[in-house]
Structure formats: C-alpha cells, structure tokens
Amino acid sequence: GLLSFKSNSYNLIHVDNVGENGEIELEMCTRSGGMAKAYFYDRYPHSIMTYGSEAAYGSYDSIETTRVCSSMLRKTYKNDGYGETYILLPPSSPDSTVDVRVSCTFNGQCLQNFYLSNGTCERCPNGQSSPPGSTS
C-alpha cells in the first residue's frame, strides 16, 4: 500500500521475512515539491537512530527524488541474505510530504530457523530450529 510521511523527521520502514536474496522495490515521490531520500540497510541503523550519525553511514544503497507525485521514482534493492531490510527516510524538505510504496519479492529460500508457510518465511517457534531452506 501507499505510505505517507512528513519529511521533517526520521521515518523508518522495516521489511521482514523476504528470505535469502529477496527483492524490495521502493517507489517514492514528494507531494509538495522539495527533495526526499531513502537509505537501505540490512540491519537496524542503530548509529543513525541512536546517535544521530549521517544517514548514509552503514547504508548499502539509496534513492533520491525531487519528483512530484504524478509519477514515482522506483528503486529495486536486493537483500543480501539477512531476511530483513530497513529503509530510512531522513529529514529533508520542511513542510513536505513523501509518498512511498514498498513491495517485496521472495527470490530464494528461508534462512536458518525460519520455514516457508503460505509463501512467506515464518520464524520457528521457541525452542525449535530448522536449517536454511526449510519448508515445514
């Protein structure tokens, strides 16, 4: 679905259960002009969120747009095997709104201690484990 964020503060999107080498597609635009950025991380961006480090620190990829929302800029990011991705939209243009659409494609196998259920990777119950690629 479509998500809308005020661009005067940090906004963080957590994408989980895409399996090993899953693809995340991000579409982004600004409603009232200005500029918007998004950074992709394979782990929680602790340094940025806790200590205020530069948003690019630890990021594996990024997208920047000045597109007004009649059309959206698109970026595909391939998860490198951790099964989750964080997308950070740092503060940019004051008084602007950023629209974002995120979609995922499962392109691999489930990670260790996850199993495939109805097309998504689910975490094993407490006390249980499974090898990578498990389907039950």
Side-chain angles (χ1 to χ4, degrees):
L2 188 67
L3 304 170
S4 294
F5 299 102
K6 293 288 184 187
S7 61
N8 60 352
S9 64
Y10 286 95
N11 295 283
L12 187 64
I13 301 167
H14 182 211
V15 181
D16 200 9
N17 295 334
V18 294
E20 185 175 12
N21 299 318
E23 290 183 354
I24 294 107
E25 184 175 89
L26 176 74
E27 296 176 87
M28 185 169 70
C29 63
T30 63
R31 274 203 221 155
S32 53
M35 188 260 309
K37 285 186 177 183
Y39 294 90
F40 295 86
Y41 306 85
D42 289 334
R43 295 282 193 213
Y44 180 79
H46 180 72
S47 184
I48 293 92
M49 301 306 290
T50 305
Y51 303 113
S53 298
E54 284 292 319
Y57 181 77
S59 170
Y60 288 96
D61 208 346
S62 64
I63 180 176
E64 180 178 324
T65 187
T66 56
R67 244 180 227 186
V68 179
C69 285
S70 57
S71 68
M72 297 179 104
L73 186 63
R74 180 177 302 174
K75 174 81 173 184
T76 300
Y77 177 75
K78 187 169 185 170
N79 177 285
D80 76 352
Y82 290 107
E84 65 180 352
T85 296
Y86 289 88
I87 303 169
L88 176 69
L89 286 77
S92 55
S93 303
D95 302 323
S96 182
T97 300
V98 179
D99 284 350
V100 172
R101 182 175 291 121
V102 179
S103 58
C104 307
T105 304
F106 178 76
N107 284 340
Q109 64 180 8
C110 293
L111 302 172
Q112 182 173 346
N113 297 325
F114 285 80
Y115 65 94
L116 188 61
S117 175
N118 296 322
T120 63
C121 294
E122 300 291 336
R123 188 175 301 278
C124 290
N126 287 338
Q128 303 293 313
S129 64
S130 65
S134 293
T135 57
S136 60

